[in-house]
Amino acid sequence: MPLRFNRILLKVGGESLLGDREYGISHESAKAVALQIKEVHDMGVQVAVVIGGGNIFRGISAEKSGFDRATADYMGMLATVMNGLALMDALERVGVPVRLQSALEMPAVAEPFVRRRAIRHMEKGRVIILAAGTGVPFVTTDTGSSLHALELHCDVVIKATKVDGVFERDPMQDPSARRYKTVNLHDMLSNQNISVMDSGALAMCMENNMPVMVFELFKEGNLKKAVSGEDIGTYASADVKTELA
Ligand code: UDP
């Protein structure tokens, strides 16, 4: 069976590692994410993971409590390195070869991000985890995801969320909100009711013809279905019509 996507950029938000905790990293959740990745890795899909840090520290929230924004953002980037280490450990424990690269140099715990080396790792069948986002403040790991997906020639950005795709309105607030099957990225950017990804990150995908898929990562087998071409979640790109499911 040919795959729909051969090389994916999977954005895993820090909240995916929370489990039932309010803060920090749940070992069980890291393992659950690792098992989803293993399933597609075993099918021969090349996987780059951009890991977030929201379960530990977010620059923008820290700024509201009085921190200097840039300093707080660097702290947030450090949080993503901790999550990256946890996910690396979880992947190794389920037998997946993996390398952690960081956009902030930290040679004792991670390789520096080197684009060509990251591509080589994937070609050799290693999952790469990309920590510290872009390495600069005032953006988030969503921007890191778009940027890395483009420079690593990925076929798609997969944004794992808590709900099964992009909805008309926040389905957590309004359960009657309907899911989109496809969304044009222009519509997604201009619609104030949709806030799945940072606008800068979305604009980068739109301008460079990078599709974005949005679905619930913890639904058993969802990642496998997405790379096999099954119709799940929401597919967003610059060249599709916006249609409800
Ligand atoms: N961050 C940053 N530059 C980047 C990526 C991340 O400054 O390129 C900081 C920012 O403070 C952000 C935090 O790291 O809030 C954690 O990342 P993010 O909020 O994207 O995590 P997620 O919401 O995906 O868990």
Side-chain angles (χ1 to χ4, degrees):
M1 267 268 288
L3 296 167
R4 182 179 192 188
F5 305 120
N6 293 296
R7 182 180 289 170
I8 60 170
L9 187 300
L10 177 66
K11 160 72 203 283
V12 176
E15 284 184 6
S16 302
L17 301 182
L18 269 180
D20 48 17
R21 304 161 67 108
E22 288 197 351
Y23 169 86
I25 305 169
S26 140
H27 181 257
E28 277 308 306
S29 298
K31 186 174 173 190
V33 175
L35 286 172
Q36 293 284 327
I37 295 169
K38 178 180 166 61
E39 232 180 2
V40 295
H41 177 261
D42 288 350
M43 292 162 71
V45 177
Q46 297 183 10
V47 186
V49 182
V50 166
I51 185 84
N55 55 323
I56 301 172
F57 202 91
R58 273 209 184 92
I60 199 154
S61 322
E63 183 187 34
K64 285 180 190 138
S65 68
F67 283 96
D68 171 77
R69 172 69 191 270
T71 304
D73 278 339
Y74 281 108
M75 292 162 79
M77 286 184 253
L78 295 179
T80 71
V81 178
M82 288 171 69
N83 285 338
L85 285 166
L87 188 57
M88 178 175 73
D89 180 71
L91 281 163
E92 278 175 345
R93 281 169 189 267
V94 295
V96 177
V98 52
R99 293 290 186 275
L100 176 63
Q101 293 201 344
S102 170
L104 291 178
E105 288 214 22
M106 237 176 285
V109 295
E111 291 180 5
F113 174 70
V114 177
R115 177 178 163 263
R116 297 180 74 96
R117 200 192 282 176
I119 292 174
R120 192 79 192 112
H121 283 321
M122 288 192 285
E123 287 171 348
K124 286 187 167 179
R126 298 171 188 141
V127 168
I128 48 165
I129 302 173
L130 303 169
T134 62
V136 296
F138 295 96
V139 287
T140 71
T141 53
D142 280 353
T143 302
S145 303
S146 304
L147 204 59
H148 284 318
L150 289 165
E151 66 180 332
L152 299 176
H153 304 302
C154 294
D155 300 322
V156 65
V157 173
I158 293 179
K159 168 103 184 192
T161 53
K162 281 187 283 189
V163 292
D164 213 9
V166 180
F167 286 72
E168 296 169 291
R169 299 170 293 281
D170 183 351
M172 299 282 200
Q173 314 254 329
D174 178 0
S176 71
R178 289 170 299 170
R179 175 173 63 88
Y180 289 107
K181 177 180 156 72
T182 49
V183 190
N184 186 287
L185 284 172
H186 291 90
D187 295 340
M188 200 152 152
L189 263 170
S190 58
N191 187 334
Q192 303 285 323
N193 291 323
I194 304 177
S195 59
V196 177
M197 251 170 110
D198 293 356
S199 51
L202 272 181
M204 204 187 292
C205 289
M206 190 180 75
E207 282 158 16
N208 295 283
N209 292 318
M210 174 62 65
V212 180
M213 268 201 90
V214 181
F215 58 82
E216 195 181 343
L217 184 62
F218 284 118
K219 228 185 211 174
E220 188 84 12
N222 251 0
L223 190 55
K224 190 174 167 183
K225 285 182 188 163
V227 299
S228 310
E230 282 187 47
D231 188 14
I232 61 153
T234 300
Y235 179 82
S237 91
D239 55 11
V240 291
K241 276 197 181 147
T242 300
E243 278 177 27
L244 287 163

